[in-house]
Amino acid sequence: MSAASPRPARRPDASMTLITSMLERPLDPGYAAAAERREKAGLPRATGLRSPALIIFAVVIGVLVGIAAMQLRGGETTKQRTKTSLIERIEREQKSVDTQAAQAGALRSEIAALDAETLRDVSEVLAQRVQRLSLVAGAVPVQGPGFVVTVDDAPSNEGEGTNSDPRGEKGSTDGKVIARDLQIITNSLWQAGAEAVSVNGQRLTSTAAIRFAGEAILVDYRPLKRPYVITSIGNPSKMPTTFADGSGGTYLATLKNSFGIRVGTVVRKQVTIPASATLGTRAATPAVRLDDAATPSPEGEPS
């Protein structure tokens, strides 16, 4: 019986044939065969990275990328200049409008004083009646004890608190004051007994409206800037308490606790609410003397 031949020793890396093959033959066989064919044809085994064609191609690509970057940067600069110019123009035109509105208000007050003086020559009773109607209509400025409510956006975009949304609008929990907030507050002031109300100096009348236009709040088509100061004239001993105990006070508390909107209220001894800048007379009838109006007609009825 012959002795069994000894088995050959097993290589330590026998279980790593793939890694061994990659280390021993780093070049793929296909690439190696292509390199041999180039060498037999009298060409270099591989194309060098310093060939003239490759260098020219890299330079062209770099120039194109640089030109594109300069064009993008130039467009952004032009856009920024256009935006800045528009903002400056808007601010300049807004100042001009404010100046002209102030002049119109002064002239309107002067005309109202002359009308009142002329009307007193006709009838003192009729002059007092016109004066009361002018106050109610917002045609003349008013002064008196006031109650001022100030609201402003939250310090951040995140609201404070998790109470229910009193606005009833999806996406309105961003901590910003919206037109509906000012509408509810001003209506609550009227309900509390306010005799005249203005928002940032804009008088509220029966023809004025508070509305949204994009991200701006308009009062009688005039844009407002925050903070929003709502000034009202009324009984200083009753109106603040009635407002706080009513829907207005509850709404302000909810806005503050739920959305972090900044709220402030103060009672002042004397405030001034200007006349409406857009109020105009559309119809008029000639005034008659009361003694003429009281003169009986031949039929025994007032003429």
Side-chain angles (χ1 to χ4, degrees), residues 4-159:
S5 60
R7 294 182 177 181
R10 188 169 181 269
R11 292 181 56 177
D13 58 352
S15 61
M16 300 182 292
T17 56
L18 178 60
I19 298 177
T20 304
S21 176
M22 293 176 61
L23 294 175
E24 293 177 353
R25 294 183 299 171
L27 186 63
D28 186 88
Y31 287 105
E36 291 176 359
R37 287 196 301 269
R38 289 178 59 86
E39 190 174 17
K40 290 178 181 180
L43 300 175
R45 293 179 62 86
T47 302
L49 296 178
R50 297 183 180 180
S51 63
L54 184 60
I55 294 176
I56 294 174
F57 179 76
V59 171
V60 171
I61 293 297
V63 171
L64 293 177
V65 171
I67 293 174
M70 292 178 62
Q71 289 180 348
L72 289 175
R73 179 176 298 179
E76 184 66 25
T77 303
T78 303
K79 180 180 178 181
Q80 199 68 24
R81 286 199 302 266
T82 303
K83 180 179 179 181
T84 304
S85 176
L86 287 175
I87 293 175
E88 292 177 353
R89 181 178 178 183
I90 291 173
E91 292 178 350
R92 184 169 59 252
E93 294 297 331
Q94 186 64 47
K95 290 180 180 179
S96 176
V97 170
D98 293 340
T99 302
Q100 294 178 4
Q103 293 176 355
L107 293 175
R108 190 179 296 107
S109 299
E110 184 178 352
I111 293 172
L114 294 174
D115 289 343
E117 183 179 355
T118 303
L119 195 58
R120 288 191 185 93
D121 296 338
V122 177
S123 172
E124 185 67 28
V125 176
L126 188 59
Q128 294 177 0
R129 181 184 177 188
V130 171
Q131 184 179 6
R132 289 195 301 269
L133 293 177
S134 299
L135 291 173
V136 174
V140 295
V142 290
Q143 292 182 346
F147 178 57
V148 181
V149 179
T150 304
V151 292
D152 196 1
D153 296 346
S156 63
N157 291 332
E158 297 180 0

Side-chain angles (χ1 to χ4, degrees), residues 231-250:
T231 306
S232 60
I233 290 180
N235 191 327
S237 61
K238 294 182 179 180
M239 187 174 62
T241 304
T242 305
F243 176 83
D245 295 339
S247 59
T250 303

Side-chain angles (χ1 to χ4, degrees), residues 147-263:
F147 178 57
V148 181
V149 179
T150 304
V151 292
D152 196 1
D153 296 346
S156 63
N157 291 332
E158 297 180 0
E160 300 177 2
T162 57
N163 295 339
S164 60
D165 184 356
R167 299 169 174 176
E169 296 179 358
K170 186 177 180 180
S172 62
T173 59
D174 56 355
K176 291 186 177 181
V177 179
I178 62 177
R180 188 182 177 189
D181 299 333
L182 300 185
Q183 292 172 0
I184 293 177
I185 295 171
T186 53
N187 288 335
S188 300
L189 287 172
W190 289 119
Q191 293 177 356
E195 300 174 3
V197 179
S198 68
V199 182
N200 284 21
Q202 300 298 319
R203 180 79 169 269
L204 294 183
T205 64
S206 59
T207 60
I210 302 174
R211 55 172 59 91
F212 240 164
E215 296 184 357
I217 299 179
L218 307 182
V219 172
D220 211 4
Y221 301 102
R222 296 292 303 274
L224 305 181
K225 294 182 180 180
R226 38 185 293 263
Y228 307 101
V229 181
I230 307 170
T231 306
S232 60
I233 290 180
N235 191 327
S237 61
K238 294 182 179 180
M239 187 174 62
T241 304
T242 305
F243 176 83
D245 295 339
S247 59
T250 303
Y251 192 80
L252 284 182
T254 307
L255 290 180
K256 181 179 180 180
N257 297 329
S258 299
F259 305 102
I261 290 178
R262 289 170 283 186
V263 176

Side-chain angles (χ1 to χ4, degrees), residues 264-282:
T265 59
V266 61
V267 178
R268 295 180 179 174
K269 296 181 179 180
Q270 188 81 3
V271 295
T272 301
I273 295 181
S276 175
T278 59
L279 192 64
T281 303
R282 297 183 180 179

